[in-house]
């Protein structure tokens, strides 16, 4: 029950900093530290935060307005079962694109600005990249200017909790995941995000990830996921090689998983990682 109560940590509790991934430590941190040096003197940390939030919201809304009017949500409920296993008679199988936000499906609302779905995805990738940089530099700017505040912290992390859910929905749909599966992915992201911030606030323990994968890599994924369909148009529909399935799995399992797509296999791994993070946070909270 303590997990759901907002109890301020006592001053004698040591701060347990987040464990940085190798990419964050050796590449991203030096890059973000360099970016902060070039911010105009008139920019405040909260302005940077709000500017970044606006960029990712604009990206998501632009993509959502490009969903075709005939969009189908099949099945119309959340399910852990990959969309490829819905059956041959499913409406999803007859739709003219893997997902409503795939470049083959997108119908940009402002065709004079975005003549095709490819241009829209390219632009949204840039907008999300700006958000990624802003979100990782607002805190650095606050420390540099010595303008850290509780309001700024709540503004940063609070809005992150909201935008991360919307970004997850949009990014996974662009990647080729069905909204029926995305709904469960959003739930795991929400639980992990809320628990992580609660643990940080109550016990000064910040769960960021591990040495190989962290929140920073997830944010980079939100940027590049818009460009992946442009570079690999067939990825969203590509099925896992039967030879690979039969090589690593028992014959019965391999036969049952023949409809599985690569993006759905990645989704399963993602779900498992999120469950691991949630259990890890819960174990630290209970101590």
């Amino acid at each position: 029950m303590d997990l759901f109560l907002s109890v301020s940590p006592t001053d004698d509790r040591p701060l347990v900093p987040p464990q940085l991934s190798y990419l964050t430590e050796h590449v991203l941190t030096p890059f973000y530290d360099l970016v902060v040096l070039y911010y105009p003197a008139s920019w405040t940390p909260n302005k940077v935060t709000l500017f970044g939030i606006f960029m990712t919201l604009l990206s998501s809304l632009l993509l959502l307005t490009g969903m075709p009017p005939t969009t189908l949500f099949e099945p119309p409920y959340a399910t852990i079962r990959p969309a490829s296993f819905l059956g041959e008679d499913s409406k999803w199988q007859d739709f003219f694109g893997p997902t409503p936000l795939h470049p083959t499906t997108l119908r940009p609302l402002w065709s004079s600005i975005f003549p095709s779905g490819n241009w829209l995805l390219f632009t949204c990738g840039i907008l999300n990249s700006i958000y990624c940089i802003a979100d990782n530099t607002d805190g650095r700017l606050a420390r540099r200017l010595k303008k850290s505040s509780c309001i700024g912290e709540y503004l940063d992390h609070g809005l992150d909790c909201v935008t991360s859910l919307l970004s997850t929905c949009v990014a996974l749909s662009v990647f080729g995941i069905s909204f029926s599966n995305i709904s469960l992915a959003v739930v795991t992201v929400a639980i992990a995000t809320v628990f992580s911030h609660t643990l940080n606030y109550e016990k000064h323990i910040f769960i960021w990830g591990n040495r190989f994968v962290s929140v920073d890599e997830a944010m980079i994924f939100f940027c590049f996921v818009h460009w992946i369909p442009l570079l690999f148009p067939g990825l969203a529909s590509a099925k896992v090689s039967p030879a690979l399935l039969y090589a690593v799995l028992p014959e019965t399992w391999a036969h049952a998983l023949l409809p599985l797509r690569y993006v759905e296999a990645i989704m399963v791994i993602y779900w498992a990682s999120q469950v691991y993070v949630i259990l890890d946070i819960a174990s630290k909270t209970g101590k």
Side-chain angles (χ1 to χ4, degrees), residues 1-63:
M1 186 64 182
D2 291 341
L3 182 63
F4 300 97
L5 300 178
S6 296
V7 181
S8 300
T10 58
D11 294 335
D12 58 344
R13 291 184 180 179
L15 174 64
V16 180
Q19 185 180 37
L20 302 180
S21 66
Y22 291 110
L23 179 64
T24 300
E25 181 178 357
H26 299 291
V27 179
L28 298 180
T29 295
F31 171 72
Y32 294 140
D33 289 339
L34 180 63
V35 170
V36 170
L37 299 178
Y38 291 93
Y39 277 145
S42 60
W43 283 27
T44 62
N46 288 348
K47 284 183 180 179
V48 175
T49 300
L50 292 174
F51 180 73
I53 294 296
F54 176 76
M55 290 294 103
T56 189
L57 287 177
L58 178 61
S59 169
S60 297
L61 292 176
L62 283 174
L63 283 172

Side-chain angles (χ1 to χ4, degrees), residues 35-242:
V35 170
V36 170
L37 299 178
Y38 291 93
Y39 277 145
S42 60
W43 283 27
T44 62
N46 288 348
K47 284 183 180 179
V48 175
T49 300
L50 292 174
F51 180 73
I53 294 296
F54 176 76
M55 290 294 103
T56 189
L57 287 177
L58 178 61
S59 169
S60 297
L61 292 176
L62 283 174
L63 283 172
L64 291 176
T65 59
M67 293 174 64
T70 55
T71 294
L72 299 175
F73 295 93
E74 181 74 15
Y77 52 81
T79 176
I80 197 172
R81 188 182 183 189
S84 297
F85 294 86
L86 293 177
E88 295 298 331
D89 58 342
S90 172
K91 297 178 182 178
W92 182 86
Q93 302 286 351
D94 300 326
F95 200 51
F96 55 89
T99 66
L101 296 183
H102 192 266
T104 58
T105 312
L106 276 174
R107 298 294 182 267
L109 185 61
W110 294 281
S111 56
S112 58
I113 302 176
F114 308 107
S116 68
N118 290 354
W119 279 104
L120 180 58
L121 285 174
F122 179 76
T123 303
C124 290
I126 294 177
L127 294 176
N128 269 3
S129 299
I130 295 174
Y131 161 69
C132 180
I133 294 174
D135 187 63
N136 282 281
T137 55
D138 52 1
R140 287 174 167 82
L141 181 61
R143 290 186 290 272
R144 178 190 173 201
L145 300 178
K146 297 181 179 180
K147 290 186 176 181
S148 300
S149 65
C150 293
I151 294 179
E153 183 177 356
Y154 276 109
L155 183 65
D156 183 12
H157 297 303
L159 290 176
D160 280 348
C161 292
V162 177
T163 56
S164 62
L165 303 184
L166 181 58
S167 299
T168 299
C169 285
V170 173
L172 292 182
S173 181
V174 170
F175 195 51
I177 303 297
S178 165
F179 275 113
S180 302
N181 300 139
I182 290 174
S183 55
L184 292 182
V186 170
V187 170
T188 59
V189 170
I191 294 175
T193 302
V194 172
F195 280 15
S196 176
H197 287 305
T198 302
L199 184 63
N200 180 36
Y201 178 71
E202 293 188 359
K203 296 194 175 183
H204 280 178
I205 301 175
F206 199 6
I207 302 295
W208 193 257
N210 53 51
R211 294 293 282 171
F212 300 98
V213 181
S214 68
V215 175
D216 289 312
E217 281 76 11
M219 294 187 68
I220 292 176
F221 170 76
F222 288 147
C223 302
F224 287 101
V225 71
H226 299 83
W227 300 331
I228 291 177
L230 307 182
L231 299 174
F232 308 99
L235 178 62
S237 303
K239 294 184 179 181
V240 178
S241 169

